[in-house]
Amino acid sequence: MTTGPVLQTDRLILRLPEPQDFDAWAAMAAAPETMRFLGGAMAQEVAWRDFAMRRGAWDVRGFSMFSVIERDGGAWVGRIGPWQPEGWPGTEIGWGVHPAFAGRGYAHEAAVACMDFAVDRLGWTDIIHTIDPANTRSIALAERLGSRNRGPTRLPPPLADFPVHAWGQTAAEWKARRRG
């Protein structure tokens, strides 16, 4: 069913979300600790709309979050990738990893591939990550990617009341980091 780009890393395959991904997607979306900084835990029906929206954004915007799949075994790891719905404060690479796969370095590995994709294939000149100031794990990942805190920003409704900072870097900074 995948009709868009497929990225591969040493341990992962990043591809468009497919119907068989939904059960794992919904399980991640229902996990309170995982979703604490991503809008809160979702009932299965709400997770379906989130899943369909992100898949549909591929047709509307030409990019969206990838489903991240383990190369060995084919397990669904999470959703990571470019994101910019209407009213978003910038071109973002965002991430969310199923709790069973947290702490294995998958988010970093996939985020690096997505940063390269955004700069090299989408032509983005600037990349942000919108992160709640209390989300220390995402802040650590943003720092590891070379992003820095640019200060508070605002998401569009219905997320406008969530406290977030824009972490980010320019494409030139990313390219220099890759070369170094």
Side-chain angles (χ1 to χ4, degrees), residues 102-128:
R104 297 186 193 182
Y106 287 156
H108 179 261
E109 189 173 327
V112 167
C114 289
M115 294 283 286
D116 286 342
F117 176 79
V119 170
D120 298 338
R121 292 182 59 189
L122 298 178
W124 288 4
T125 59
D126 194 73
I127 297 173
I128 65 167

Side-chain angles (χ1 to χ4, degrees), residues 2 4-5 12 26 28 44 56 60 65 69-70 78 126 141 147 161:
T2 294
L12 304 169
M28 181 187 90
Q44 187 160 346
V60 175
M65 299 256 178
I69 310 298
E70 271 188 319
D126 194 73
L141 176 53
S147 294
D161 293 334

Side-chain angles (χ1 to χ4, degrees), residues 128-141:
I128 65 167
H129 323 287
T130 55
I131 303 173
D132 185 301
N135 189 344
T136 56
R137 292 185 80 168
S138 280
I139 289 169
L141 176 53

Side-chain angles (χ1 to χ4, degrees), residues 10-180:
D10 289 343
R11 301 180 296 162
L12 304 169
I13 298 168
L14 287 72
R15 59 157 171 75
L16 275 63
E18 296 182 355
Q20 67 268 22
D21 301 339
F22 178 67
D23 288 340
W25 185 296
M28 181 187 90
E33 187 56 32
T34 299
M35 298 303 292
R36 177 176 169 208
F37 301 113
L38 299 173
M42 297 178 196
Q44 187 160 346
E45 299 81 6
V46 177
W48 171 254
R49 288 190 292 277
D50 181 62
F51 176 80
M53 171 187 62
R54 292 180 198 266
R55 171 64 193 225
W58 279 101
D59 290 331
V60 175
R61 291 270 195 212
F63 60 85
S64 185
M65 299 256 178
F66 290 96
S67 273
V68 179
I69 310 298
E70 271 188 319
R71 286 179 76 162
D72 292 338
W76 188 87
V77 171
R79 55 162 178 75
I80 298 177
W83 187 237
Q84 189 188 28
E86 189 63 31
W88 214 250
T91 47
E92 176 165 21
I93 296 296
W95 47 78
V97 173
H98 190 288
F101 298 98
R104 297 186 193 182
Y106 287 156
H108 179 261
E109 189 173 327
V112 167
C114 289
M115 294 283 286
D116 286 342
F117 176 79
V119 170
D120 298 338
R121 292 182 59 189
L122 298 178
W124 288 4
T125 59
D126 194 73
I127 297 173
I128 65 167
H129 323 287
T130 55
I131 303 173
D132 185 301
N135 189 344
T136 56
R137 292 185 80 168
S138 280
I139 289 169
L141 176 53
E143 289 174 333
R144 189 170 174 205
L145 292 169
S147 294
R148 63 192 174 289
N149 191 343
R150 296 176 172 174
T153 192
R154 191 159 186 179
L155 301 176
L159 307 171
D161 293 334
F162 291 133
V164 293
H165 286 195
W167 288 74
Q169 61 188 292
T170 66
E173 291 168 328
W174 176 251
K175 288 177 183 179
R177 184 174 173 81
R178 279 193 315 202
R179 284 190 301 269

